[in-house]
Amino acid sequence: MSIVNSPDGNSPEDERPFEDDPTAERPSIGRALQKARIEAHLTVDDVSNATRVRITIIHAIEQNDFAPCGGDVYARGHIRTLARAVRLDPAPLLAQYDAEHGGRPAPTPAAPLFEAERIRPERRGPNWTAAMVAAIVAVIGFVGFTMVKGGGNGDDSKTQVAEGSTPTTKKSAAPSATATKPVEPKSEPSDSAIAAAPQDKVTVQVSAADGRSWISAKDHNGRMLFDGLLKQGESKTFQDSSKINLILGDAGAIQLFVNGKKIEDQFRPGAVERLTYTKGDPQVG
């Protein structure tokens, strides 16, 4: 067996295949990925740069150690990403992983996401309606007060009519013109999907601004809200009565908004972050 020293600084041990159990019917997942990488003339550094998976995780997976991945969801995502990078079909490897680690994770329930999205517009409508009604009542009250006050000075009113003056008419028209001003904000909704986050709930928006990332989101009962790959440019919004638990597979690619405010934490590319947010945030949990 020939050993090739990598110009990128990988030691010979990095490229040396480990021995599989000779009684096994098929190679292990790590062995299959390592063999395909070597046959594609790729180093571990090459695969890491192409996939943004950390070198230590690639080494661990090639040795069938999936603990550094941070869970089954991320292990499956890394296997799929590495298989495509070395030109392997990921489906057989994922099936093998599921058979060895207890099966595929349960699918993500879609209902909680739609329920979270419906809450915001239903709460906004009554607020603007109440503001508009209050403004109209105030204008009507002001006009009525002006008319009653003017009616008490009978002689002055007659004198103004006789002289052809119309100041009273202009004053009563001016407030009527301003009556529509409180309604204007209704035509200018906020561009942010969580700008009107209700104060009695916690609302979290996750956006893959700088790349794709595997994310997992659970509510305060531990119920899964989302578990999958968020592609670059996509975003998800989650809402709960008290707490949202997040796991970010590549935190450096993610932009967070919590309760209408941007989280300014500088997450490192490739870093796995576990976060918790409540109604009193933003602050990292």
Side-chain angles (χ1 to χ4, degrees):
M1 179 182 356
S2 62
I3 304 299
V4 179
N5 288 324
S6 170
D8 295 329
N10 293 328
S11 64
E13 288 77 5
D14 294 338
E15 303 301 333
R16 183 177 60 204
F18 56 84
E19 296 297 331
D20 285 325
D21 183 356
T23 62
E25 296 181 359
R26 58 182 175 181
S28 66
I29 296 172
R31 176 70 180 95
L33 291 172
Q34 184 190 58
K35 181 179 178 182
R37 174 178 63 77
I38 296 174
E39 290 177 351
H41 304 289
L42 296 173
T43 67
V44 174
D45 286 341
D46 293 334
V47 176
S48 178
N49 291 333
T51 63
R52 300 184 69 178
V53 178
R54 286 181 290 176
I55 292 175
T56 55
I57 293 180
I58 297 175
H59 279 303
I61 290 176
E62 289 189 354
Q63 297 297 322
N64 291 311
D65 179 9
F66 300 99
C69 296
D72 289 342
V73 173
Y74 296 102
R76 297 179 85 261
H78 289 325
I79 291 171
R80 181 184 290 106
T81 300
L82 296 180
R84 290 173 177 169
V86 297
R87 303 179 182 89
L88 277 183
D89 181 6
L93 298 179
L94 293 174
Q96 184 176 350
Y97 180 87
D98 292 340
E100 295 173 357
H101 295 82
R104 182 183 179 90
T108 302
L113 298 179
F114 291 105
E115 292 172 0
E117 294 296 336
R118 287 199 298 266
I119 292 175
R120 178 174 54 82
E122 291 176 358
R123 292 180 62 85
R124 288 172 61 90
N127 292 338
W128 288 117
T129 302
M132 182 175 63
V133 170
I136 294 174
V137 170
V139 171
I140 293 175
F142 176 77
V143 173
F145 175 77
T146 303
M147 293 178 64
V148 171
K149 184 178 180 180
N153 299 326
D155 295 339
D156 294 340
S157 299
K158 293 178 180 179
T159 303
Q160 291 179 357
V161 172
E163 294 174 352
S165 175
T166 58
T168 303
T169 303
K170 291 182 180 180
K171 289 182 180 179
S172 61
S176 299
T178 60
T180 58
K181 289 185 179 180
V183 187
E184 291 178 0
K186 188 175 182 179
S187 62
E188 299 177 359
S190 172
D191 293 334
S192 172
I194 57 172
Q199 295 181 357
D200 60 341
K201 296 182 182 295
V202 54
T203 304
V204 177
Q205 184 189 64
V206 184
S207 299
D210 300 321
R212 62 183 183 177
S213 175
W214 282 84
I215 68 170
S216 173
K218 295 181 179 180
D219 62 13
H220 72 282
N221 290 321
R223 183 177 57 176
M224 187 70 69
L225 301 179
F226 181 79
D227 186 3
L229 179 65
L230 197 64
K231 298 180 180 179
Q232 184 171 5
E234 292 183 342
S235 65
K236 293 287 184 181
T237 301
F238 310 107
Q239 195 170 75
D240 187 67
S241 60
S242 61
K243 182 172 65 176
I244 295 292
N245 295 309
L246 291 178
I247 301 179
L248 308 179
D250 183 357
I254 292 298
Q255 187 177 75
L256 289 177
F257 289 85
V258 178
N259 297 325
K261 297 180 181 179
K262 183 178 179 181
I263 300 299
E264 300 295 345
D265 289 2
Q266 298 297 323
F267 298 125
R268 294 182 295 105
V272 177
E273 296 287 345
R274 290 172 170 81
L275 308 170
T276 299
Y277 293 106
T278 63
K279 291 183 290 186
D281 290 327
Q283 61 183 8
V284 177

